[in-house]
Coordinates of all heavy atoms in Angstrom, one line a residue:
M1 N -6.8 13.7 47.9 CA -6.0 14.9 47.6 C -6.9 16.1 47.3 O -6.7 17.2 47.8 CB -5.1 14.7 46.4 CG -3.7 15.0 46.8 SD -2.6 13.9 46.0 CE -3.6 13.1 44.8
L2 N -7.9 15.8 46.5 CA -8.9 16.8 46.3 C -9.6 17.1 47.6 O -9.9 18.3 47.9 CB -9.9 16.3 45.2 CG -10.8 17.3 44.6 CD1 -10.1 18.5 44.0 CD2 -11.6 16.6 43.5
L3 N -9.8 16.1 48.4 CA -10.3 16.2 49.7 C -9.4 17.1 50.6 O -9.9 17.8 51.4 CB -10.5 14.8 50.3 CG -11.6 14.5 51.3 CD1 -12.9 14.8 50.6 CD2 -11.5 13.1 51.8
N4 N -8.1 16.9 50.4 CA -7.2 17.7 51.2 C -7.4 19.2 50.9 O -7.4 20.0 51.8 CB -5.8 17.4 50.9 CG -5.2 16.3 51.8 OD1 -5.9 15.9 52.7 ND2 -4.1 15.7 51.4
S5 N -7.6 19.5 49.6 CA -7.8 20.9 49.2 C -9.1 21.4 49.9 O -9.1 22.5 50.4 CB -8.0 21.0 47.7 OG -6.7 20.9 47.1
A6 N -10.1 20.6 49.9 CA -11.4 21.0 50.5 C -11.2 21.2 52.0 O -11.8 22.1 52.6 CB -12.5 20.0 50.2
K7 N -10.5 20.2 52.6 CA -10.4 20.2 54.1 C -9.5 21.2 54.7 O -9.8 21.8 55.7 CB -9.9 18.8 54.4 CG -10.1 18.4 55.9 CD -10.1 16.9 56.1 CE -8.7 16.4 56.3 NZ -8.6 15.0 56.7
H8 N -8.3 21.4 54.1 CA -7.3 22.2 54.7 C -7.1 23.6 54.1 O -6.5 24.4 54.7 CB -5.9 21.5 54.6 CG -5.9 20.1 55.2 ND1 -6.1 19.9 56.5 CD2 -5.7 18.9 54.6 CE1 -6.1 18.6 56.8 NE2 -5.8 18.0 55.6
S9 N -7.4 23.7 52.8 CA -6.8 24.9 52.1 C -7.5 26.2 52.3 O -6.9 27.2 52.1 CB -6.7 24.6 50.6 OG -7.9 24.7 50.0
Q10 N -8.8 26.1 52.6 CA -9.6 27.3 52.6 C -9.6 28.1 51.3 O -9.7 29.3 51.2 CB -9.2 28.3 53.7 CG -9.3 27.7 55.1 CD -8.5 28.5 56.1 OE1 -8.4 29.7 56.0 NE2 -8.0 27.8 57.1
A11 N -9.4 27.3 50.2 CA -9.3 27.9 48.9 C -10.6 28.4 48.3 O -11.6 27.9 48.6 CB -8.6 26.9 47.9
N12 N -10.5 29.4 47.4 CA -11.7 29.8 46.7 C -11.8 28.9 45.4 O -12.9 28.6 45.0 CB -11.6 31.2 46.2 CG -11.7 32.2 47.4 OD1 -12.6 32.0 48.2 ND2 -10.8 33.1 47.5
T13 N -10.7 28.6 44.8 CA -10.7 27.9 43.6 C -9.8 26.7 43.6 O -8.7 26.8 44.1 CB -10.2 28.8 42.4 OG1 -10.8 30.1 42.6 CG2 -10.5 28.3 41.1
V14 N -10.3 25.6 43.1 CA -9.4 24.4 43.0 C -9.5 24.0 41.5 O -10.6 23.8 40.9 CB -9.9 23.2 43.9 CG1 -9.0 22.0 43.7 CG2 -10.0 23.7 45.3
T15 N -8.4 23.8 40.9 CA -8.3 23.4 39.5 C -7.7 22.0 39.4 O -6.7 21.8 39.9 CB -7.4 24.4 38.7 OG1 -7.8 25.7 39.0 CG2 -7.5 24.2 37.2
V16 N -8.5 21.2 38.7 CA -8.0 19.8 38.5 C -7.8 19.5 37.1 O -8.7 19.9 36.2 CB -9.1 18.8 39.1 CG1 -8.5 17.4 38.9 CG2 -9.4 19.1 40.5
S17 N -6.7 19.0 36.7 CA -6.6 18.5 35.3 C -6.0 17.1 35.2 O -5.2 16.7 36.1 CB -5.7 19.5 34.5 OG -4.3 19.3 34.8
I18 N -6.5 16.4 34.3 CA -6.1 15.0 34.1 C -5.7 14.9 32.6 O -6.4 15.3 31.7 CB -7.2 14.1 34.4 CG1 -7.7 14.2 35.8 CG2 -6.8 12.6 34.2 CD1 -8.9 13.4 36.2
C19 N -4.5 14.4 32.4 CA -4.1 14.1 31.0 C -3.3 12.9 30.9 O -2.7 12.4 31.8 CB -3.4 15.3 30.4 SG -1.8 15.7 31.1
K20 N -3.3 12.4 29.7 CA -2.6 11.1 29.4 C -1.3 11.5 28.6 O -1.4 12.3 27.7 CB -3.5 10.2 28.6 CG -2.9 8.9 28.3 CD -4.0 8.1 27.5 CE -3.4 6.8 27.0 NZ -2.7 6.9 25.8
E21 N -0.2 11.0 29.0 CA 1.0 11.2 28.3 C 1.8 9.9 28.2 O 2.1 9.3 29.2 CB 1.9 12.3 28.9 CG 2.0 12.2 30.4 CD 3.0 13.1 31.0 OE1 3.0 14.3 30.7 OE2 3.8 12.6 31.8
D22 N 2.0 9.5 27.0 CA 2.7 8.1 26.7 C 1.9 7.1 27.6 O 0.7 6.9 27.5 CB 4.1 8.2 27.1 CG 4.9 9.2 26.3 OD1 4.5 9.4 25.1 OD2 5.8 9.9 26.8
N23 N 2.7 6.4 28.4 CA 2.1 5.4 29.2 C 1.6 5.9 30.6 O 1.3 5.1 31.5 CB 3.1 4.2 29.3 CG 2.4 3.0 29.9 OD1 1.2 2.7 29.7 ND2 3.2 2.3 30.7
N24 N 1.6 7.2 30.8 CA 1.3 7.7 32.1 C 0.0 8.5 32.1 O -0.4 9.1 31.1 CB 2.4 8.6 32.6 CG 3.7 7.9 32.9 OD1 3.7 6.8 33.3 ND2 4.8 8.5 32.6
I25 N -0.6 8.6 33.3 CA -1.6 9.5 33.5 C -1.1 10.6 34.5 O -0.5 10.2 35.5 CB -2.9 8.8 34.0 CG1 -4.1 9.8 34.1 CG2 -2.7 8.1 35.3 CD1 -5.4 9.2 34.1
R26 N -1.4 11.8 34.2 CA -0.9 12.9 35.0 C -2.1 13.7 35.5 O -2.9 14.1 34.8 CB 0.0 13.8 34.2 CG 0.5 15.1 34.9 CD 1.3 16.0 34.0 NE 2.5 15.3 33.6 CZ 3.7 15.5 34.3 NH1 3.7 16.3 35.3 NH2 4.7 14.8 33.9
I27 N -2.1 13.8 36.8 CA -3.2 14.5 37.5 C -2.6 15.7 38.2 O -1.7 15.5 39.0 CB -4.0 13.6 38.4 CG1 -4.5 12.4 37.7 CG2 -5.2 14.4 39.1 CD1 -5.1 11.3 38.6
T28 N -3.1 16.9 38.0 CA -2.7 18.0 38.8 C -3.8 18.7 39.5 O -4.9 18.8 39.0 CB -1.9 19.1 38.0 OG1 -2.9 19.7 37.1 CG2 -0.8 18.5 37.2
I29 N -3.6 19.0 40.7 CA -4.6 19.7 41.6 C -4.0 20.9 42.1 O -2.9 20.9 42.8 CB -5.1 18.7 42.7 CG1 -5.7 17.4 42.1 CG2 -6.1 19.4 43.6 CD1 -5.8 16.3 43.2
E30 N -4.6 22.0 41.8 CA -4.0 23.3 42.2 C -5.1 24.1 43.0 O -6.2 24.2 42.6 CB -3.7 24.1 41.0 CG -2.6 25.1 41.2 CD -2.2 25.7 39.8 OE1 -2.7 25.3 38.8 OE2 -1.4 26.7 39.9
D31 N -4.7 24.5 44.2 CA -5.7 25.4 44.9 C -5.0 26.7 45.3 O -3.8 26.8 45.3 CB -6.3 24.6 46.1 CG -5.3 24.4 47.3 OD1 -4.7 25.3 47.7 OD2 -5.2 23.2 47.7
D32 N -5.8 27.7 45.6 CA -5.3 29.0 45.9 C -5.5 29.3 47.4 O -5.8 30.4 47.8 CB -6.0 30.1 45.0 CG -7.5 30.2 45.3 OD1 -8.0 29.3 46.0 OD2 -8.1 31.1 44.8
G33 N -5.4 28.2 48.2 CA -5.7 28.3 49.6 C -4.5 28.7 50.5 O -3.5 29.3 50.0
V34 N -4.5 28.2 51.7 CA -3.5 28.7 52.7 C -2.1 28.0 52.5 O -1.1 28.6 52.9 CB -3.9 28.4 54.1 CG1 -5.1 29.2 54.5 CG2 -4.3 26.9 54.3
G35 N -2.0 26.9 51.8 CA -0.7 26.3 51.6 C -0.2 25.7 52.9 O -0.8 25.7 53.9
F36 N 1.0 25.0 52.8 CA 1.6 24.5 54.0 C 3.1 24.3 53.7 O 3.5 24.4 52.6 CB 0.9 23.2 54.4 CG 1.0 22.1 53.4 CD1 1.9 21.0 53.7 CD2 0.2 22.0 52.3 CE1 2.0 20.0 52.8 CE2 0.3 21.0 51.4 CZ 1.2 20.0 51.6
D37 N 3.8 24.0 54.8 CA 5.2 23.9 54.7 C 5.6 22.5 54.3 O 5.4 21.5 55.1 CB 5.9 24.3 56.0 CG 7.4 24.3 56.0 OD1 7.9 23.8 55.0 OD2 8.0 24.8 56.9
T38 N 6.0 22.2 53.1 CA 6.2 20.9 52.6 C 7.4 20.2 53.3 O 7.5 19.0 53.3 CB 6.5 20.8 51.1 OG1 7.5 21.7 50.8 CG2 5.2 21.2 50.3
S39 N 8.3 20.9 53.9 CA 9.4 20.3 54.6 C 8.9 19.7 55.9 O 9.6 18.9 56.5 CB 10.5 21.4 54.9 OG 10.0 22.3 55.9
K40 N 7.7 20.0 56.3 CA 7.2 19.4 57.6 C 6.3 18.2 57.3 O 5.7 17.6 58.2 CB 6.4 20.4 58.3 CG 7.2 21.6 58.8 CD 6.7 22.2 60.1 CE 7.6 23.2 60.7 NZ 7.4 24.5 60.0
I41 N 6.3 17.8 56.0 CA 5.3 16.7 55.6 C 5.5 15.4 56.4 O 4.6 14.7 56.7 CB 5.4 16.5 54.1 CG1 4.1 15.9 53.6 CG2 6.6 15.7 53.6 CD1 3.0 16.9 53.5
D42 N 6.8 15.1 56.7 CA 7.0 13.9 57.4 C 6.5 13.9 58.9 O 6.4 12.8 59.5 CB 8.5 13.5 57.4 CG 9.0 13.2 56.0 OD1 8.2 12.8 55.2 OD2 10.2 13.4 55.7
T43 N 6.3 15.1 59.4 CA 5.9 15.2 60.8 C 4.4 15.2 60.9 O 3.9 15.2 62.0 CB 6.6 16.4 61.5 OG1 6.0 17.6 60.9 CG2 8.1 16.4 61.3
F44 N 3.7 15.3 59.8 CA 2.2 15.4 59.9 C 1.7 14.1 60.4 O 2.1 13.0 60.0 CB 1.6 15.7 58.5 CG 1.8 17.1 58.1 CD1 2.2 17.4 56.8 CD2 1.5 18.2 59.0 CE1 2.4 18.8 56.4 CE2 1.6 19.5 58.5 CZ 2.1 19.8 57.3
K45 N 0.6 14.2 61.1 CA 0.0 13.0 61.6 C -0.9 12.3 60.6 O -1.3 11.2 60.7 CB -0.8 13.3 62.9 CG -1.9 14.3 62.7 CD -2.5 14.7 64.1 CE -3.6 15.7 64.0 NZ -3.3 16.9 63.1
G46 N -1.3 13.1 59.6 CA -2.2 12.6 58.5 C -1.6 11.4 57.8 O -0.4 11.3 57.6
F47 N -2.5 10.6 57.3 CA -2.1 9.4 56.7 C -2.3 9.5 55.2 O -1.8 8.7 54.4 CB -2.9 8.2 57.3 CG -2.3 6.9 57.0 CD1 -1.0 6.6 57.5 CD2 -3.0 6.0 56.2 CE1 -0.4 5.4 57.2 CE2 -2.4 4.7 55.9 CZ -1.1 4.4 56.4
G48 N -3.1 10.5 54.7 CA -3.5 10.6 53.3 C -2.3 10.6 52.4 O -2.2 9.8 51.5
L49 N -1.5 11.7 52.5 CA -0.4 11.9 51.6 C 0.6 10.7 51.6 O 1.2 10.3 50.6 CB 0.3 13.2 51.8 CG -0.5 14.4 51.5 CD1 0.1 15.7 52.0 CD2 -0.8 14.5 50.0
F50 N 0.9 10.3 52.8 CA 1.8 9.2 53.1 C 1.4 7.9 52.3 O 2.2 7.3 51.6 CB 2.0 8.9 54.6 CG 2.8 7.7 54.9 CD1 4.2 7.8 54.8 CD2 2.2 6.5 55.2 CE1 5.0 6.7 55.1 CE2 3.0 5.4 55.5 CZ 4.4 5.5 55.4
S51 N 0.1 7.6 52.5 CA -0.4 6.4 51.8 C -0.4 6.5 50.3 O -0.1 5.5 49.6 CB -1.7 5.9 52.4 OG -2.7 6.7 51.9
I52 N -0.7 7.7 49.8 CA -0.7 7.9 48.4 C 0.7 7.7 47.8 O 0.9 7.1 46.8 CB -1.3 9.3 48.0 CG1 -2.8 9.4 48.3 CG2 -1.0 9.6 46.6 CD1 -3.4 10.8 48.3
R53 N 1.6 8.3 48.5 CA 3.0 8.2 48.1 C 3.5 6.8 48.0 O 4.1 6.3 47.1 CB 3.9 9.0 49.0 CG 5.4 8.9 48.8 CD 6.2 10.0 49.4 NE 6.0 11.2 48.7 CZ 6.1 12.4 49.3 NH1 6.4 12.5 50.6 NH2 5.9 13.5 48.6
E54 N 3.1 6.0 49.1 CA 3.6 4.6 49.2 C 2.9 3.8 48.0 O 3.6 3.0 47.4 CB 3.2 4.0 50.5 CG 4.1 4.5 51.7 CD 5.6 4.4 51.4 OE1 6.0 3.2 51.1 OE2 6.3 5.4 51.4
R55 N 1.7 4.0 47.8 CA 1.0 3.3 46.7 C 1.5 3.6 45.4 O 1.7 2.7 44.5 CB -0.5 3.5 46.8 CG -1.2 2.7 47.9 CD -2.7 3.0 48.0 NE -2.9 4.3 48.6 CZ -4.1 4.8 48.7 NH1 -5.2 4.2 48.1 NH2 -4.3 6.0 49.2
L56 N 1.8 4.9 45.2 CA 2.4 5.3 43.9 C 3.7 4.7 43.6 O 4.1 4.3 42.5 CB 2.4 6.8 43.8 CG 1.1 7.5 43.5 CD1 1.2 9.0 43.7 CD2 0.6 7.2 42.1
K57 N 4.5 4.7 44.7 CA 5.9 4.1 44.6 C 5.8 2.7 44.2 O 6.5 2.2 43.3 CB 6.6 4.3 46.0 CG 8.1 4.4 45.9 CD 8.7 4.1 47.3 CE 8.6 5.3 48.2 NZ 9.1 5.0 49.6
Y58 N 4.8 2.0 44.8 CA 4.6 0.6 44.5 C 4.3 0.3 43.0 O 4.8 -0.6 42.4 CB 3.5 0.0 45.4 CG 3.2 -1.4 45.2 CD1 4.1 -2.4 45.6 CD2 2.1 -1.8 44.5 CE1 3.9 -3.7 45.3 CE2 1.8 -3.2 44.3 CZ 2.7 -4.1 44.7 OH 2.5 -5.4 44.5
I59 N 3.5 1.2 42.4 CA 3.2 1.0 41.0 C 4.1 1.7 40.0 O 3.9 1.7 38.8 CB 1.7 1.3 40.7 CG1 1.4 2.8 40.9 CG2 0.7 0.5 41.5 CD1 0.1 3.3 40.4
G60 N 5.1 2.4 40.5 CA 6.0 3.1 39.7 C 5.7 4.5 39.3 O 6.1 5.0 38.3
G61 N 4.8 5.1 40.1 CA 4.5 6.5 39.8 C 5.1 7.4 40.9 O 5.9 7.0 41.7
Y62 N 4.7 8.7 41.0 CA 5.2 9.5 42.0 C 4.2 10.7 42.3 O 3.3 11.0 41.5 CB 6.5 10.1 41.7 CG 6.6 11.0 40.4 CD1 6.3 12.4 40.5 CD2 6.9 10.5 39.2 CE1 6.3 13.2 39.4 CE2 6.9 11.3 38.1 CZ 6.7 12.6 38.2 OH 6.7 13.4 37.0
I63 N 4.4 11.3 43.4 CA 3.6 12.5 43.7 C 4.6 13.7 44.0 O 5.6 13.5 44.7 CB 2.7 12.3 44.9 CG1 1.9 13.5 45.3 CG2 3.4 11.7 46.1 CD1 0.8 13.3 46.3
K64 N 4.2 14.8 43.5 CA 5.1 16.0 43.7 C 4.2 17.0 44.4 O 3.1 17.3 43.9 CB 5.6 16.5 42.4 CG 6.7 17.5 42.6 CD 7.4 17.8 41.2 CE 6.5 18.8 40.4 NZ 7.1 19.1 39.1
L65 N 4.7 17.6 45.5 CA 3.9 18.6 46.2 C 4.7 19.9 46.2 O 5.8 20.0 46.5 CB 3.8 18.2 47.7 CG 2.9 17.1 48.1 CD1 3.2 16.6 49.4 CD2 1.4 17.6 48.0
E66 N 4.0 20.9 45.7 CA 4.6 22.2 45.8 C 3.6 23.1 46.5 O 2.5 23.3 46.1 CB 4.8 22.8 44.4 CG 5.8 22.0 43.6 CD 5.7 22.4 42.1 OE1 4.9 21.7 41.4 OE2 6.5 23.2 41.6
S67 N 4.1 23.7 47.6 CA 3.2 24.5 48.4 C 4.1 25.4 49.3 O 5.2 25.1 49.7 CB 2.4 23.6 49.3 OG 1.4 24.4 50.0
K68 N 3.5 26.6 49.5 CA 4.2 27.5 50.5 C 3.1 28.1 51.3 O 2.0 28.4 50.8 CB 4.8 28.6 49.7 CG 6.3 28.4 49.4 CD 6.9 29.7 48.9 CE 8.1 29.5 48.0 NZ 8.1 30.4 46.9
P69 N 3.3 28.2 52.6 CA 2.3 28.9 53.4 C 1.9 30.2 52.8 O 2.7 31.0 52.5 CB 3.0 29.0 54.8 CG 4.0 28.0 54.8 CD 4.5 27.9 53.4
G70 N 0.6 30.4 52.6 CA 0.1 31.6 52.0 C 0.0 31.7 50.5 O -0.4 32.6 49.9
H71 N 0.5 30.6 49.9 CA 0.6 30.7 48.4 C 0.0 29.5 47.7 O 0.3 29.1 46.6 CB 2.1 30.8 47.9 CG 2.7 32.1 48.3 ND1 2.6 33.2 47.5 CD2 3.4 32.4 49.4 CE1 3.2 34.2 48.1 NE2 3.7 33.8 49.3
G72 N -0.9 28.8 48.4 CA -1.7 27.7 47.7 C -0.8 26.4 47.6 O 0.3 26.4 48.0
T73 N -1.4 25.5 47.0 CA -0.8 24.2 46.9 C -1.0 23.6 45.4 O -2.0 23.8 44.8 CB -1.5 23.2 47.9 OG1 -1.4 23.7 49.2 CG2 -0.9 21.8 47.8
H74 N 0.1 23.0 44.9 CA 0.1 22.4 43.6 C 0.5 21.0 43.8 O 1.7 20.8 44.2 CB 1.0 23.2 42.7 CG 0.8 22.9 41.2 ND1 1.0 23.8 40.2 CD2 0.4 21.8 40.6 CE1 0.7 23.3 39.1 NE2 0.4 22.0 39.3
V75 N -0.4 20.1 43.5 CA 0.0 18.7 43.6 C 0.0 18.0 42.2 O -0.9 18.2 41.4 CB -1.1 17.9 44.5 CG1 -0.7 16.5 44.6 CG2 -1.2 18.6 45.8
T76 N 1.0 17.3 41.9 CA 1.1 16.6 40.7 C 1.3 15.1 41.0 O 2.1 14.7 41.8 CB 2.4 17.0 39.9 OG1 2.3 18.4 39.7 CG2 2.4 16.3 38.5
V77 N 0.4 14.3 40.4 CA 0.5 12.8 40.5 C 0.7 12.2 39.1 O 0.0 12.6 38.2 CB -0.8 12.2 41.1 CG1 -0.8 10.7 41.1 CG2 -1.0 12.7 42.5
V78 N 1.7 11.4 39.0 CA 2.0 10.7 37.8 C 2.0 9.2 38.1 O 2.6 8.8 39.0 CB 3.3 11.1 37.1 CG1 3.6 10.3 35.9 CG2 3.3 12.6 36.8
A79 N 1.2 8.5 37.3 CA 1.1 7.1 37.5 C 1.0 6.4 36.2 O 0.4 6.9 35.2 CB -0.2 6.7 38.3
P80 N 1.7 5.2 36.1 CA 1.7 4.5 34.8 C 0.3 3.9 34.6 O -0.4 3.4 35.5 CB 2.7 3.4 35.1 CG 2.8 3.2 36.5 CD 2.5 4.6 37.1
L81 N -0.1 3.9 33.3 CA -1.4 3.3 32.9 C -1.3 1.8 32.8 O -2.2 1.1 33.2 CB -1.8 3.9 31.6 CG -2.3 5.3 31.7 CD1 -2.5 5.9 30.3 CD2 -3.6 5.4 32.4
K82 N -0.1 1.3 32.4 CA 0.1 -0.1 32.3 C 1.2 -0.4 33.3 O 2.2 0.2 33.3 CB 0.5 -0.6 31.0 CG -0.6 -0.6 30.0 CD -0.1 -1.3 28.7 CE -0.8 -0.7 27.5 NZ 0.0 -0.4 26.3
I83 N 0.9 -1.3 34.2 CA 1.9 -1.7 35.2 C 2.7 -2.8 34.7 O 2.2 -3.9 34.3 CB 1.2 -2.0 36.5 CG1 0.4 -0.8 37.0 CG2 2.2 -2.5 37.6 CD1 -0.5 -1.1 38.2
E84 N 4.0 -2.5 34.6 CA 4.9 -3.6 34.1 C 5.1 -4.7 35.1 O 5.4 -4.4 36.3 CB 6.3 -2.9 33.7 CG 6.1 -2.0 32.5 CD 7.4 -1.5 32.0 OE1 8.4 -2.2 32.2 OE2 7.4 -0.4 31.4
K85 N 5.0 -5.9 34.6 CA 5.2 -7.0 35.5 C 6.7 -7.3 35.6 O 7.4 -7.4 34.6 CB 4.4 -8.2 35.0 CG 2.9 -7.9 35.0 CD 2.1 -9.1 35.3 CE 0.6 -8.8 35.4 NZ 0.0 -8.4 34.1
K86 N 7.1 -7.5 36.8 CA 8.6 -7.9 37.0 C 8.7 -9.4 37.1 O 7.8 -10.0 37.6 CB 9.1 -7.1 38.2 CG 9.4 -5.7 37.9 CD 9.8 -4.9 39.1 CE 9.4 -3.4 38.9 NZ 9.0 -2.8 40.1
Ligands
ATP101 N1 -4.2 21.5 49.8 C1 -3.7 21.8 51.1 N2 -3.7 23.0 51.6 C2 -3.2 23.2 52.8 N3 -2.7 22.3 53.6 C3 -2.7 21.0 53.2 C4 -3.2 20.7 51.8 N4 -2.9 19.4 51.6 C5 -2.4 18.9 52.8 N5 -2.2 19.9 53.7 C6 -1.5 19.7 55.0 O1 -0.8 18.5 55.0 C7 -1.1 17.7 56.1 C8 -1.0 16.2 55.7 O2 -2.0 15.9 54.8 P1 -2.5 14.4 54.7 O3 -3.5 14.2 53.6 O4 -1.4 13.5 54.8 O5 -3.3 14.2 56.1 P2 -4.7 14.7 56.6 O6 -5.5 15.2 55.4 O7 -4.6 15.6 57.7 O8 -5.4 13.3 57.1 P3 -6.1 12.2 56.2 O9 -5.8 12.4 54.8 O10 -5.5 10.9 56.7 O11 -7.5 12.4 56.5 C9 -2.5 18.2 56.4 O12 -2.8 18.0 57.8 C10 -2.5 19.7 56.1 O13 -1.9 20.4 57.2
MG102 MG1 -5.8 14.1 53.6

């Protein structure tokens, strides 16, 4: 994801923060680059975001993408620190 910022965004600045909250870890990655249309995410040929989403779903976390063309990208990943066994 950080790689995505480097690869696609043409950003000057990328801000990464990681924090722990309760049983979750929250990672946010914000860049001030070109952004993209999140409604087209399903039509992208890239495998990166898709596989991250699937893996997070599996462990009970999620990924949130906020981006607009021309307005940079803000990615939030929340994942549980302890995985509950079912
Ligand atoms: N930070 C970003 N800034 C601008 N565009 C982005 C950013 N992150 C993702 N995108 C857009 O979303 C698309 C999908 O990203 P994804 O990570 O799924 O695939 P990819 O990076 O192209 O390929 P892969 O991750 O498999 O190498 C990218 O092709 C790009 O157009
Ligand atoms: Mg990628």
Side-chain angles (χ1 to χ4, degrees):
M1 231 145 11
L2 194 51
L3 210 61
N4 273 348
S5 288
K7 195 161 85 169
H8 305 295
S9 75
Q10 298 163 37
N12 290 314
T13 314
V14 182
T15 309
V16 182
S17 80
I18 302 176
C19 65
K20 183 175 171 279
E21 43 170 46
D22 303 325
N23 189 35
N24 292 324
I25 185 162
R26 174 183 295 268
I27 304 170
T28 65
I29 302 167
E30 203 174 356
D31 69 53
D32 63 351
V34 292
F36 63 105
D37 185 349
T38 52
S39 68
K40 297 211 173 75
I41 203 74
D42 292 336
T43 67
F44 285 133
K45 57 188 183 312
F47 198 62
L49 292 170
F50 174 78
S51 78
I52 289 168
R53 173 163 290 151
E54 288 306 303
R55 281 179 285 173
L56 283 167
K57 208 195 286 176
Y58 179 71
I59 63 169
Y62 63 87
I63 179 170
K64 194 170 79 179
L65 285 163
E66 292 164 278
S67 187
K68 265 193 208 141
H71 293 273
T73 302
H74 193 148
V75 182
T76 306
V77 173
V78 176
L81 287 168
K82 283 188 211 138
I83 298 168
E84 291 187 26
K85 298 213 173 70
K86 280 171 208 149

